[in-house]
Amino acid sequence: MKLIIGYLYGDLMNIYGDTGNIIALKKRCEWRGIDVVVKNIAIGTKLSKGDIDLFFFGGGQDQQQELVAKDLEESAKGKVIKSEVERGIPLLSVCGGYQLLGEYYQPHKGPRLPGIGLFDTYTLAGDKRMIGNIVIESMFGKLVGFETRSGKTYLKKEAFPLGLVKKGFGNNGKDRTEGCLYKNAIGCYMHGSLLPKNPKLADWLLKKALEVKYSEDIKLEPIDDILENQAHKSAQERS
Ligand code: GLN
């Protein structure tokens, strides 16, 4: 089996350890003998249906987000990503990437950045940074991560949260929701990186990607996640 991971704007949107998610996905494929290729989808890169089996979109500061929002709109990559998610292609987005997948992100200064409208959400820059460990309860059980940003994301009527905050801020520090889940696409504020400490979520993304690609039920070979689970437990205890 072969898997192509699309790192959306990996040269620009990769802060707070988010590339660790790509490393985790790659290693969990290699440990199972699954061939894996990581493609950076940069500004100016053409993106077509079927090119990518699993998308990752990391965090970035307002300046990078402005460049990326423009490319998503002008290059029609946003439309391709939306239609790929509609047919079940999995996607994980974190923070700045997550913000650009909603209706819009309004930074502190400058124009409102249009999102691609994948998630029924919108984001407003907050007046203080939300920083710290986060623990949420989700369909994957407890997920642990680290938050650092000012943006506050609000779920509109069609949006479904990834989970509920046990410790930390979540989407906006008010409504106790964290992230957004739509089909096999996830948005969240969980840097850390997220996947090395949440192996169940990593494998869910890989399973969904392989099932869509090969149109069959996939049973991933179990991995001894002793280190991952220790990291998960200690992150939870630190929160
Ligand atoms: N610039 C955005 C904010 O501050 C996203 C930052 C990030 O990706 N950590 O909310």
Side-chain angles (χ1 to χ4, degrees):
M1 283 188 166
K2 176 176 177 180
L3 201 72
I4 302 174
I5 298 171
Y7 193 171
L8 287 164
Y9 308 97
D11 48 330
L12 289 170
M13 302 291 281
N14 56 22
I15 54 177
Y16 304 124
D18 286 345
T19 301
N21 294 298
I22 295 284
I23 297 169
L25 290 168
K26 193 161 178 292
K27 292 310 288 178
R28 296 185 77 82
C29 284
E30 289 168 352
W31 290 335
R32 292 173 165 120
I34 299 169
D35 291 337
V36 55
V37 169
V38 179
K39 285 189 177 168
N40 179 33
I41 303 166
I43 289 178
T45 307
K46 194 169 166 355
L47 177 66
S48 309
K49 178 175 165 28
D51 286 353
I52 301 296
D53 304 319
L54 196 173
F55 288 103
F56 176 69
F57 197 1
Q61 301 305 355
D62 292 6
Q63 300 80 343
Q64 287 86 8
Q65 287 179 284
E66 198 167 334
L67 296 171
V68 167
K70 190 164 174 286
D71 185 67
L72 278 169
E73 193 174 34
E74 289 176 358
S75 68
K77 285 193 191 79
K79 288 196 180 70
V80 174
I81 293 164
K82 275 180 85 172
S83 66
E84 291 293 74
V85 168
E86 284 303 325
R87 70 182 181 94
I89 294 283
L91 174 148
L92 172 65
S93 59
V94 180
C95 207
Y98 168 35
Q99 294 170 344
L100 295 181
L101 298 183
E103 190 190 338
Y104 64 83
Y105 166 50
Q106 175 58 64
H108 271 298
K109 292 199 282 306
R112 177 183 283 192
L113 304 182
I116 70 169
L118 174 68
F119 297 129
D120 194 22
T121 60
Y122 64 94
T123 303
L124 308 171
D127 48 11
K128 67 176 178 51
R129 285 191 72 78
M130 288 172 270
I131 299 178
N133 294 309
I134 176 170
V135 180
I136 71 167
E137 202 54 78
S138 74
M139 67 185 222
F140 304 100
K142 282 195 174 44
L143 294 176
V144 295
F146 184 79
E147 297 177 279
T148 172
R149 94 296 173 166
S150 82
K152 293 181 175 179
T153 294
Y154 298 90
L155 304 181
K156 293 163 67 182
K157 61 182 188 336
E158 305 297 318
F160 188 79
L162 171 64
L164 291 179
V165 176
K166 308 299 285 177
K167 301 253 178 68
F169 297 96
N171 279 320
N172 49 53
K174 286 260 176 319
D175 64 11
R176 289 192 57 245
T177 66
E178 160 52 6
C180 191
L181 173 66
Y182 174 67
K183 293 191 178 236
N184 295 328
I186 289 174
C188 69
Y189 276 111
M190 304 175 87
H191 294 287
S193 358
L194 176 65
L195 295 181
K197 292 195 275 287
N198 299 281
K200 256 194 243 170
L201 175 56
D203 283 353
W204 180 84
L205 290 163
L206 293 176
K207 175 177 162 67
K208 293 294 178 189
L210 291 166
E211 286 179 345
V212 170
K213 181 162 188 168
Y214 293 103
S215 315
E216 62 179 78
D217 184 35
I218 297 282
K219 289 231 174 324
L220 290 174
E221 219 179 291
I223 289 176
D224 175 0
D225 282 327
I226 182 157
L227 290 178
E228 291 78 358
N229 294 331
Q230 274 171 355
H232 181 98
K233 188 165 171 287
S234 88
Q236 208 177 313
E237 284 158 3
R238 268 203 319 274
S239 301

